[in-house]
Amino acid sequence: MSSLTFRQKLGRCLSSNFFTRLVTTLILLNAVTLGLETDAAVMESHGLLLRAVDQAILAFFVVEVLLRLYVSRLAFFKSGWNVFDFVIVGISLLPSVGPFAVLRTLRILRVLRLISVVPKMRKVITALFSAIPGMTSVLSVLLVIFYVASVMTTQIFGASSDPAMQQLYGSIGASMFTLFQLMTLEGWSQDIAGPTMALFPASWAFFVSFIIVTSFAVLNLFIGIIVDAMNLMHEEERAASVDKAHSEEMLAIHDVREEIAALRRDLQAARK
Amino acid sequence: MSSLTFRQKLGRCLSSNFFTRLVTTLILLNAVTLGLETDAAVMESHGLLLRAVDQAILAFFVVEVLLRLYVSRLAFFKSGWNVFDFVIVGISLLPSVGPFAVLRTLRILRVLRLISVVPKMRKVITALFSAIPGMTSVLSVLLVIFYVASVMTTQIFGASSDPAMQQLYGSIGASMFTLFQLMTLEGWSQDIAGPTMALFPASWAFFVSFIIVTSFAVLNLFIGIIVDAMNLMHEEERAASVDKAHSEEMLAIHDVREEIAALRRDLQAARK
Amino acid sequence: MSSLTFRQKLGRCLSSNFFTRLVTTLILLNAVTLGLETDAAVMESHGLLLRAVDQAILAFFVVEVLLRLYVSRLAFFKSGWNVFDFVIVGISLLPSVGPFAVLRTLRILRVLRLISVVPKMRKVITALFSAIPGMTSVLSVLLVIFYVASVMTTQIFGASSDPAMQQLYGSIGASMFTLFQLMTLEGWSQDIAGPTMALFPASWAFFVSFIIVTSFAVLNLFIGIIVDAMNLMHEEERAASVDKAHSEEMLAIHDVREEIAALRRDLQAARK
Amino acid sequence: MSSLTFRQKLGRCLSSNFFTRLVTTLILLNAVTLGLETDAAVMESHGLLLRAVDQAILAFFVVEVLLRLYVSRLAFFKSGWNVFDFVIVGISLLPSVGPFAVLRTLRILRVLRLISVVPKMRKVITALFSAIPGMTSVLSVLLVIFYVASVMTTQIFGASSDPAMQQLYGSIGASMFTLFQLMTLEGWSQDIAGPTMALFPASWAFFVSFIIVTSFAVLNLFIGIIVDAMNLMHEEERAASVDKAHSEEMLAIHDVREEIAALRRDLQAARK
């Protein structure tokens, strides 16, 4: 007579090492078949096989997600990783004919499940997301500077009817893209500052200031993350080492006090 | 009978959470209307409404700044953030007709008030400014190198009558801009080193040295900021932890001494 | 009668300072001759001499590796550096005529032996390799993102028959190269985003996201290495300093306890 | 009757705050006049005045260096900064006519004296130089990689008679410049990898590997400097804080021991 219900047995089975390795292998296999599907020559010769393998793996994933949903019931949706798996498998089931043909290309997103299945990669993403809250203040300041600069460049440089100016600063969207390019420093002189300075000679001051200010802000973003990461990892170990020394010393001092107390008892005994 | 004067009540009201949230909302709304004003199609259909909203929000800001000026009187100008708000709102009141039409574009600077109103963003800017003093020495060295290099390139490369050389190194200003571009590495080979080396073949040595020296100087600027930031944040926590352990140990040793003193008193009592 | 076998004597000789310096000098000399061989004018005038020197140095290296193999026997292959030397010298012995002419160019790899001979450079490479395990998780995530993005761009942008699109995204290989270029930010706007956005206007969202995500991932790679390096070097010294203070204090407290014990003995003696 | 010799008095005078400020002012003034000399229009109107001021300041510097040489005698050359001042002033005295006209442009180097005169800037340069020893190992490895790669690219890509290949890889010097450009990522795809891959399709592997390897090496260079800087500045403060706590605790324990000794004396007195 088994002491575990069928659901519990299934749950153990789904979280077993063997099953995890099986899923990882299937994801990697699917990554290969989806990659091969982009090659026209391969598709002509082995297209049917590739599609069949793809359908079989998809079927496996659908069953897997449904089983995990059955095991955990509504608690399934409490984990962001489960929701991630559910959405990615769900997308693959949508009809991909007619206007939805673009959805076929989203099948490759299934390979992202690798990140949710392999614990080490999962940890990396968790760490990346945990770094975001510490960045919001600097990111907000950067966004305000970007928005103000893009409205100004749209009003000043975009007012020119020159086609180059219209392409670079024709709308707020165009200006923001141009300013993003300026921030990455890519072709800032030849593609952006050059044509603008030809019409607005004093604009060099704006470009140089914007580059220095955004570089400085991005640098501070980086430093913030570094300092946070150091604090987190470093502090723990440091505290542990100081605390160990501290508690050993406190223990030794406690022993001293007990010995003095014993001495006192001896003395009181001697007085009698 | 109220124990607070009208001025004190007003001061409390202006620094209340509700009022801060109201100002933040109005700034965001103004950011949206100023953004929409850059779109010709929207201006044609809703131009009057946008302008009216803009005027209303400006009126609100003028009253707000005047009230805060009334509350704090001359102490108002002691805070850099107040001066910042005052100047930004003041600019919007300047006549923007005729030759001053460009001032209209400065209205978007009002959105920068978001930084002075939201405490977290204010903190970011304060931190950025507090990093500047530690950078002045390295920045001065960088500036001296830039100035010397720009005078030299103007005298040597700018002496050539070649139009490309004239554009790159025609004056100290042009040379400084070229050297700034060189420092950002943007197109340094194709746009700058290429044409120069065609006329001055040995100039590669200058370009390679300048890139290495300025990269190294900028790197040291960054390291300085990182080390300062680490020292500031790290030291505090570390010191706290060591100090806590230290004071606990000192207290324990103090107890030991008191117990020894008590023991001594006992002994003296026994002698009698 | 010597107490050392010939093999032991030879081993000492091969690891002596003099021999190391001799090998270093020969590698540097070989670097110079191989460099001069690339100059057609020099080859015409001193070609025979250069080839003779090269052959003589190669002969020396072959004998050296064989002797070290004789001294250490199979233990020789336990050190990665020995395998490295063996392979590099071995390559030079392969016939370099006919279809293998390209192997001649691999002779310059012998200069890499400098790294295995000079201890300080050896240490740098060891440190670089020891940093790799800590990077595998982030690198795997980056690789998954790259693969998924390259399949998607091949399917979406590569589906266009436009020659520019075919060159950038014609196959998964082409897409990966393009995405690598995107990650280095080199010409991302003019060479990649520009032509793509001309056909797929909404693709700016993909480019901006990809740049931000990969920059953030690469940044985390760097931070991971920095934090690891700091932990390694910093912790050691810190621990040493805390531990020294700690053991001195523990010793002092131990002395106190011994003195209390002595006091107790005195007291017990007094009671008798 | 003065107790100081004339030489000692002069030495005090030359190192006084007033004199340092005077020299700083003259260097800044000279920087301005040398900058103005690059402007043809200014030279035509005020050329004689500028030259006169320049000659007067040079005369002052010559006298200053000679006086400092007289005060310190041969010890003058022990300080690198003095040698720096001596060489820079010396260059200005060389005849700058005929073939030496280029030496005139070196007059601007005098502005670099600002760095040797202002203590804070002096400190920056000292710090930069002190970082170099820790970088030599990584720099040597980088140099070996560069040399090997440049010989290989010269032999393989430079063997092609294509003019673009000749320009990029025609000689070891050209290859090294190209590889330096590759390392800075500037136009690596369009200017370097593009034309090379047109002739050698498999060369993408070399370019991608070289970029990754050199980026990783440069990164390690940076991390080394950061870790060193942190160790230096951080350790000092940390050690101080731990040491202060430690010596206070040792003192307290010492007091405890003295009190126990007093107690023992009391006890011995009681026994009598």
Side-chain angles (χ1 to χ4, degrees):
Chain A
M1 196 180 91
S2 166
S3 60
L4 289 169
T5 65
F6 173 70
R7 249 183 77 211
Q8 285 171 317
K9 274 186 197 164
L10 193 64
R12 286 198 178 183
C13 179
L14 288 175
S15 57
S16 68
N17 272 346
F18 168 76
F19 195 80
T20 304
R21 239 172 273 144
L22 176 67
V23 171
T24 311
T25 313
L26 286 178
I27 296 172
L28 289 173
L29 180 64
N30 206 356
V32 172
T33 66
L34 287 166
L36 288 173
E37 279 192 36
T38 63
D39 191 311
V42 172
M43 273 308 271
E44 210 158 311
S45 57
H46 300 82
L48 285 175
L49 176 66
L50 289 175
R51 301 240 162 168
V53 171
D54 186 55
Q55 290 299 319
I57 293 174
L58 174 58
F60 181 90
F61 287 167
V62 170
V63 171
E64 182 219 342
V65 165
L66 288 178
L67 286 180
R68 277 167 52 204
L69 190 55
Y70 166 72
V71 166
S72 314
R73 295 193 186 155
L74 282 179
F76 177 85
F77 293 104
K78 278 185 188 159
S79 152
W81 292 109
N82 283 341
V83 176
F84 177 76
D85 284 358
F86 184 82
V87 170
I88 278 182
V89 171
I91 283 171
S92 307
L93 292 176
L94 295 176
S96 59
V97 288
F100 301 106
V102 79
L103 287 173
R104 274 192 69 75
T105 62
L106 296 180
R107 287 178 307 157
I108 189 66
L109 292 178
R110 259 183 253 158
V111 178
L112 291 177
R113 281 203 61 203
L114 209 59
I115 296 171
S116 78
V117 171
V118 181
K120 282 207 167 178
M121 292 166 92
R122 216 161 151 155
K123 218 170 142 188
V124 169
I125 299 295
T126 312
L128 288 183
F129 273 88
S130 71
I132 291 174
M135 293 160 58
T136 43
S137 320
V138 182
L139 278 181
S140 315
V141 170
L142 208 54
L143 205 73
V144 168
I145 294 173
F146 250 81
Y147 186 73
V148 169
S150 69
V151 170
M152 285 186 80
T153 53
T154 310
Q155 284 181 328
I156 301 177
F157 304 145
S160 157
S161 57
D162 184 272
M165 289 300 100
Q166 281 307 312
Q167 211 205 326
L168 289 170
Y169 313 104
S171 66
I172 289 188
S175 288
M176 285 204 118
F177 186 81
T178 303
L179 292 175
F180 180 75
Q181 185 179 345
L182 199 61
M183 191 175 72
T184 66
L185 296 179
E186 202 279 297
W188 74 264
S189 176
Q190 205 173 36
D191 303 354
I192 303 176
T196 310
M197 283 163 68
L199 289 163
F200 302 89
S203 63
W204 67 266
F206 169 74
F207 293 116
V208 171
S209 319
F210 189 82
I211 287 174
I212 292 176
V213 166
T214 53
S215 299
F216 194 47
V218 169
L219 171 70
N220 269 275
L221 205 62
F222 289 6
I223 291 174
I225 303 175
I226 294 179
V227 170
D228 279 7
M230 299 287 292
N231 264 351
L232 209 78
M233 295 178 77
H234 216 185
E235 276 305 302
E236 280 167 17
E237 292 186 30
R238 189 204 49 66
S241 143
V242 168
D243 287 359
K244 193 170 145 276
H246 174 54
S247 58
E248 273 180 40
E249 283 166 24
M250 289 305 286
L251 227 69
I253 295 173
H254 183 249
D255 287 353
V256 168
R257 293 171 72 176
E258 291 216 327
E259 280 157 28
I260 294 176
L263 190 63
R264 209 168 181 182
R265 277 194 301 277
D266 286 0
L267 189 66
Q268 280 163 347
R271 279 175 78 181
K272 282 168 204 163
Chain B
M1 197 183 89
S2 166
S3 59
L4 290 169
T5 66
F6 174 69
R7 249 182 78 213
Q8 285 171 318
K9 274 187 198 163
L10 192 65
R12 286 200 177 181
C13 178
L14 289 174
S15 58
S16 68
N17 272 345
F18 168 76
F19 194 79
T20 304
R21 238 172 274 143
L22 176 66
V23 172
T24 310
T25 313
L26 285 178
I27 295 172
L28 289 173
L29 179 64
N30 205 356
V32 172
T33 66
L34 286 166
L36 288 172
E37 280 193 36
T38 63
D39 191 311
V42 171
M43 273 309 272
E44 210 158 313
S45 57
H46 301 81
L48 286 175
L49 175 67
L50 290 175
R51 302 241 161 167
V53 171
D54 186 55
Q55 290 299 319
I57 294 175
L58 174 59
F60 180 90
F61 288 166
V62 170
V63 171
E64 182 219 341
V65 166
L66 288 178
L67 286 179
R68 278 165 53 203
L69 189 56
Y70 166 71
V71 167
S72 313
R73 294 194 185 153
L74 282 179
F76 177 85
F77 292 104
K78 278 186 189 158
S79 152
W81 291 109
N82 284 340
V83 175
F84 177 77
D85 284 358
F86 185 82
V87 170
I88 279 183
V89 170
I91 283 171
S92 307
L93 293 176
L94 294 175
S96 57
V97 288
F100 301 107
V102 79
L103 286 172
R104 275 193 67 76
T105 63
L106 296 180
R107 287 178 307 157
I108 188 66
L109 291 178
R110 260 184 251 158
V111 178
L112 290 178
R113 281 202 61 202
L114 209 59
I115 296 171
S116 77
V117 169
V118 181
K120 282 207 168 179
M121 292 166 93
R122 217 160 150 155
K123 217 171 145 190
V124 169
I125 299 295
T126 313
L128 288 183
F129 272 88
S130 72
I132 290 174
M135 293 160 57
T136 44
S137 320
V138 182
L139 279 181
S140 315
V141 170
L142 208 55
L143 204 72
V144 168
I145 294 173
F146 249 81
Y147 186 73
V148 169
S150 69
V151 171
M152 284 186 80
T153 53
T154 309
Q155 285 181 327
I156 301 177
F157 305 146
S160 158
S161 58
D162 183 273
M165 290 300 101
Q166 281 307 311
Q167 211 206 325
L168 288 170
Y169 313 104
S171 66
I172 289 189
S175 288
M176 285 203 117
F177 186 81
T178 303
L179 292 175
F180 180 75
Q181 186 179 344
L182 199 62
M183 192 176 74
T184 65
L185 297 179
E186 203 279 297
W188 73 265
S189 176
Q190 204 172 37
D191 303 353
I192 304 176
T196 311
M197 282 163 69
L199 290 163
F200 303 88
S203 63
W204 67 266
F206 168 74
F207 293 117
V208 171
S209 319
F210 189 82
I211 288 174
I212 291 176
V213 166
T214 53
S215 299
F216 195 48
V218 169
L219 171 70
N220 269 273
L221 205 63
F222 288 6
I223 291 175
I225 303 176
I226 293 180
V227 170
D228 279 8
M230 299 288 292
N231 265 350
L232 209 77
M233 295 178 76
H234 216 186
E235 275 306 301
E236 279 166 19
E237 292 188 28
R238 189 203 50 67
S241 142
V242 167
D243 287 359
K244 192 169 145 278
H246 174 54
S247 59
E248 272 181 40
E249 284 165 24
M250 290 305 285
L251 227 69
I253 296 173
H254 183 251
D255 287 353
V256 169
R257 294 172 71 176
E258 291 216 326
E259 280 158 28
I260 294 175
L263 190 62
R264 209 167 179 182
R265 278 194 300 278
D266 285 1
L267 189 66
Q268 280 163 349
R271 279 175 77 180
K272 281 169 203 164
Chain C
M1 200 182 88
S2 165
S3 59
L4 289 168
T5 66
F6 175 68
R7 249 183 77 212
Q8 286 172 317
K9 275 188 197 161
L10 193 65
R12 287 198 177 185
C13 179
L14 288 175
S15 58
S16 67
N17 273 345
F18 168 77
F19 195 80
T20 304
R21 239 172 272 143
L22 177 67
V23 172
T24 310
T25 313
L26 285 178
I27 295 173
L28 289 173
L29 179 64
N30 206 354
V32 172
T33 67
L34 287 166
L36 287 173
E37 281 192 35
T38 63
D39 191 312
V42 172
M43 273 307 272
E44 211 159 312
S45 57
H46 300 82
L48 286 175
L49 175 68
L50 289 176
R51 301 242 161 166
V53 171
D54 186 55
Q55 290 299 318
I57 293 174
L58 175 59
F60 180 91
F61 287 166
V62 171
V63 171
E64 182 219 340
V65 166
L66 288 178
L67 286 180
R68 277 166 51 202
L69 190 56
Y70 165 72
V71 167
S72 315
R73 294 190 186 157
L74 282 179
F76 178 84
F77 292 105
K78 279 186 188 157
S79 152
W81 292 109
N82 283 339
V83 176
F84 178 76
D85 284 359
F86 186 82
V87 170
I88 278 181
V89 170
I91 283 171
S92 307
L93 293 176
L94 294 175
S96 58
V97 287
F100 301 106
V102 79
L103 286 173
R104 275 192 69 75
T105 62
L106 296 180
R107 287 178 307 157
I108 188 67
L109 291 178
R110 259 183 254 158
V111 178
L112 291 178
R113 281 202 62 204
L114 209 59
I115 295 171
S116 77
V117 170
V118 180
K120 282 208 168 178
M121 292 166 92
R122 217 160 149 155
K123 218 171 143 188
V124 169
I125 299 295
T126 312
L128 288 183
F129 273 88
S130 72
I132 290 175
M135 292 160 57
T136 43
S137 320
V138 182
L139 278 181
S140 314
V141 170
L142 208 55
L143 205 72
V144 169
I145 293 172
F146 250 81
Y147 187 73
V148 169
S150 69
V151 171
M152 284 186 81
T153 52
T154 310
Q155 285 182 328
I156 301 177
F157 305 145
S160 157
S161 58
D162 184 271
M165 290 299 101
Q166 281 307 312
Q167 212 206 326
L168 288 170
Y169 313 104
S171 66
I172 289 188
S175 288
M176 286 203 116
F177 186 80
T178 303
L179 292 175
F180 181 75
Q181 186 179 344
L182 199 61
M183 192 175 72
T184 65
L185 296 179
E186 201 279 297
W188 73 265
S189 176
Q190 204 171 37
D191 302 355
I192 303 176
T196 311
M197 282 164 69
L199 290 163
F200 303 88
S203 63
W204 67 265
F206 169 74
F207 293 116
V208 171
S209 319
F210 190 82
I211 288 174
I212 292 176
V213 166
T214 53
S215 299
F216 194 48
V218 168
L219 170 70
N220 268 275
L221 205 62
F222 288 6
I223 291 174
I225 304 174
I226 294 179
V227 170
D228 279 8
M230 299 287 293
N231 265 350
L232 210 78
M233 295 178 77
H234 215 185
E235 274 306 302
E236 279 166 19
E237 292 187 30
R238 190 203 48 68
S241 143
V242 168
D243 287 359
K244 194 170 144 278
H246 173 54
S247 58
E248 273 181 39
E249 284 165 23
M250 288 306 285
L251 227 69
I253 295 174
H254 182 250
D255 287 354
V256 169
R257 292 171 72 175
E258 292 216 327
E259 279 158 28
I260 292 176
L263 190 63
R264 207 168 182 181
R265 279 193 300 279
D266 285 1
L267 189 66
Q268 279 162 348
R271 280 174 78 179
K272 282 168 205 166
Chain D
M1 199 182 92
S2 165
S3 60
L4 289 168
T5 67
F6 174 69
R7 249 183 77 212
Q8 284 172 318
K9 275 187 197 161
L10 192 64
R12 286 200 176 180
C13 178
L14 288 175
S15 57
S16 67
N17 273 344
F18 168 77
F19 195 79
T20 305
R21 239 172 272 145
L22 176 67
V23 172
T24 310
T25 312
L26 285 179
I27 296 173
L28 289 172
L29 179 64
N30 206 355
V32 172
T33 66
L34 286 166
L36 288 173
E37 280 194 35
T38 63
D39 191 312
V42 172
M43 272 309 271
E44 212 159 311
S45 58
H46 300 82
L48 285 175
L49 175 67
L50 289 175
R51 301 242 160 166
V53 171
D54 186 56
Q55 291 298 319
I57 293 175
L58 175 59
F60 180 89
F61 288 166
V62 170
V63 172
E64 181 220 342
V65 166
L66 288 179
L67 286 179
R68 277 166 52 202
L69 189 56
Y70 165 73
V71 166
S72 314
R73 292 188 188 159
L74 282 178
F76 177 84
F77 292 104
K78 278 188 188 157
S79 153
W81 292 109
N82 283 341
V83 176
F84 177 77
D85 284 358
F86 185 82
V87 170
I88 278 182
V89 171
I91 283 171
S92 307
L93 292 177
L94 294 176
S96 57
V97 287
F100 301 106
V102 79
L103 286 172
R104 274 192 67 76
T105 62
L106 296 180
R107 287 178 306 158
I108 188 66
L109 291 177
R110 258 183 253 158
V111 178
L112 290 177
R113 281 202 63 202
L114 209 58
I115 296 172
S116 77
V117 170
V118 180
K120 282 209 168 179
M121 292 166 93
R122 217 161 151 155
K123 218 172 143 188
V124 169
I125 299 293
T126 312
L128 288 182
F129 272 89
S130 73
I132 290 175
M135 291 161 58
T136 43
S137 319
V138 182
L139 278 181
S140 315
V141 170
L142 208 54
L143 205 73
V144 168
I145 293 173
F146 250 81
Y147 187 73
V148 169
S150 69
V151 171
M152 284 186 81
T153 53
T154 310
Q155 285 181 328
I156 301 177
F157 305 145
S160 158
S161 58
D162 184 272
M165 290 300 101
Q166 281 308 311
Q167 210 205 328
L168 288 170
Y169 314 104
S171 66
I172 289 188
S175 288
M176 285 203 118
F177 186 81
T178 304
L179 292 175
F180 180 74
Q181 186 180 344
L182 200 62
M183 192 174 73
T184 64
L185 297 178
E186 202 280 296
W188 74 264
S189 177
Q190 204 172 37
D191 302 354
I192 304 176
T196 311
M197 281 163 69
L199 290 163
F200 302 88
S203 62
W204 66 266
F206 169 73
F207 293 116
V208 172
S209 318
F210 189 83
I211 287 174
I212 292 176
V213 166
T214 52
S215 299
F216 194 48
V218 169
L219 171 71
N220 268 274
L221 205 63
F222 289 6
I223 291 175
I225 304 175
I226 293 180
V227 171
D228 280 7
M230 299 287 292
N231 265 349
L232 210 77
M233 295 178 77
H234 216 185
E235 274 306 301
E236 279 166 19
E237 292 187 29
R238 190 203 49 66
S241 143
V242 168
D243 286 0
K244 194 171 144 276
H246 174 54
S247 58
E248 272 181 40
E249 284 166 24
M250 289 304 285
L251 227 70
I253 295 173
H254 183 251
D255 286 355
V256 169
R257 293 170 73 174
E258 291 216 326
E259 280 158 27
I260 292 175
L263 190 62
R264 209 169 182 179
R265 278 194 301 277
D266 285 1
L267 190 65
Q268 279 161 349
R271 279 174 78 180
K272 280 169 206 165

